[in-house]
Amino acid sequence: LDFGDDLSTSCGREIDPYNLRREHLPISWERPLWIESCENKVDILLSVLSGIQDIIEAHCPYSLILKKFSIPYVVYEAGWLRQIEEKNFTAIPEATVAYDKADGIIYTNSDMYHILRRREEWFKKSVFIPFAVDAERYTTINESRRDNIRSLITSTNDFLVLGMARQHWSLKGSDALIEAFKIFHSNVPRSRLILIEWGYDLYRSKRLVWDLGLNDSVTWLPLLPKSKLIQLYNAVDVACDQFKIGAWGTSFPEAMSCGRPTLMYWNKEDVIREFGSCPPVPSAETVHDIVKELLRYHGLISQNRIDEERKKCREWVKSTHSLDIVGNKHERFLEYVLTR
């Protein structure tokens, strides 16, 4: 699918998220002096050896290197803890040591709270800070552009359901969405499911689609750069995330910021503890729940009664995931780590 790159919010170039380099940074962004852009592990080693930093905040794999130096560092935890816990904290000893030696831990998924509580020495130095979402970039697009993108996906006016999560049944509940769509599709024949062609259980998901007779009603898309993902969010009727772990990363608030009706399983207790309030969208955990909410959304959209919910979604994301709010929390925590 060729969505083009005519969004004013796009940086105008394709970016490989696994190979980010300095030249990919938007020219308009003036990076604060206290942020050092490290392109790879060699750069980090050279940078740390130069001794110019007071503190380093890095994603968990880089902590394996940082633990060998005396500079204070904070682990930016984005889900790796689940893998460590699955191995009873023993299969990845280097990672465990990296967390042990860290001066602080920032966790971004609300379910990580329970894993950290089982390691008291980690829990004492941890804080929850969600992912940041730029509401100026993740926003609605005009109707004509939206219609053009929809026409690339379907030649008919189908009700479009997006499964944003990768194909990982035990972690994302990808199979539950496919099974739920089968039931939904029997009630709403003019509907189409869009799935991401990536993940541990990709071939299991494709087999399930085939076994359920959904081949002609499912569109597979590759991983997309953010500029095109924003357009896809806008094009669909409902955006679905995971239905297993009860927490979200970036896709869920990004879609909400684009004003899309969204659906996933979120744990109410965890969300209230970390955010103070619940998102203005339903939580669905079972196949029955997913079908029920898809039918509800279909009814609201068919009757043009969805605008208020879209507005509430966007406002909630701005109040919890905005750049200012998240950035200030990072800054305050780093200051705390340095001064305690």
Side-chain angles (χ1 to χ4, degrees), residues 229-264:
L229 192 57
I230 291 170
Q231 298 179 66
L232 183 60
Y233 287 148
N234 274 274
V236 301
D237 293 292
V238 178
C240 299
D241 199 353
Q242 61 76 34
F243 299 98
K244 277 288 186 180
I245 61 176
W248 60 80
T250 56
S251 299
F252 180 67
E254 287 173 355
M256 289 178 68
S257 185
C258 290
R260 287 306 94 193
T262 51
L263 187 61
M264 63 167 281

Side-chain angles (χ1 to χ4, degrees), residues 15 18 32 53 59 62-63 149 152 154 186-187 277:
I15 296 176
Y18 300 103
Q53 289 86 4
H59 198 275
Y62 291 102
S63 306
I149 298 170
L152 296 173
T154 175
S186 67
N187 287 273
S277 65

Side-chain angles (χ1 to χ4, degrees), residues 130-293:
F131 290 102
V133 176
D134 185 352
E136 296 302 314
R137 185 182 187 201
Y138 291 88
T139 187
T140 56
I141 61 177
N142 64 65
E143 285 299 313
S144 62
R145 182 60 184 149
R146 180 173 185 264
D147 291 342
N148 288 340
I149 298 170
R150 287 177 66 90
S151 68
L152 296 173
I153 301 171
T154 175
S155 58
T156 59
N157 190 27
D158 288 343
F159 186 86
L160 299 182
V161 178
L162 170 64
M164 303 180 286
R166 66 182 181 270
Q167 306 307 310
H168 195 153
W169 291 14
S170 64
L171 186 65
K172 301 294 185 178
S174 319
D175 54 327
L177 176 59
I178 297 171
E179 291 173 3
F181 181 77
K182 169 64 176 180
I183 302 172
F184 174 77
H185 186 63
S186 67
N187 287 273
V188 184
R190 293 184 63 177
S191 58
R192 176 164 292 274
L193 177 62
I194 304 169
L195 295 174
I196 304 303
E197 197 171 15
W198 181 58
Y200 181 77
D201 290 313
L202 174 59
Y203 294 105
R204 293 179 73 191
S205 291
K206 288 193 171 186
R207 177 60 186 264
L208 181 59
V209 167
W210 175 271
D211 289 344
L212 294 177
L214 291 172
N215 265 15
D216 294 335
S217 301
V218 172
T219 296
W220 292 94
L221 292 181
L223 290 173
L224 297 173
K226 292 292 189 180
S227 59
K228 292 183 179 180
L229 192 57
I230 291 170
Q231 298 179 66
L232 183 60
Y233 287 148
N234 274 274
V236 301
D237 293 292
V238 178
C240 299
D241 199 353
Q242 61 76 34
F243 299 98
K244 277 288 186 180
I245 61 176
W248 60 80
T250 56
S251 299
F252 180 67
E254 287 173 355
M256 289 178 68
S257 185
C258 290
R260 287 306 94 193
T262 51
L263 187 61
M264 63 167 281
Y265 165 57
W266 46 268
N267 181 285
K268 184 176 181 179
E269 180 182 350
D270 289 349
V271 169
I272 291 179
R273 183 189 61 249
E274 305 296 9
F275 290 95
S277 65
C278 295
V281 295
S283 174
E285 186 175 7
T286 67
V287 170
H288 173 78
D289 294 338
I290 300 170
V291 174
K292 174 186 173 182
E293 296 304 334

Side-chain angles (χ1 to χ4, degrees), residues 2 28 32 34 36 64 74 165 171 176 199 205 208 217 262 280 332 338:
D2 183 11
S28 60
W34 56 271
E36 174 66 19
L64 304 181
V74 170
L171 186 65
S205 291
L208 181 59
S217 301
T262 51
R332 289 198 301 270
L338 281 172

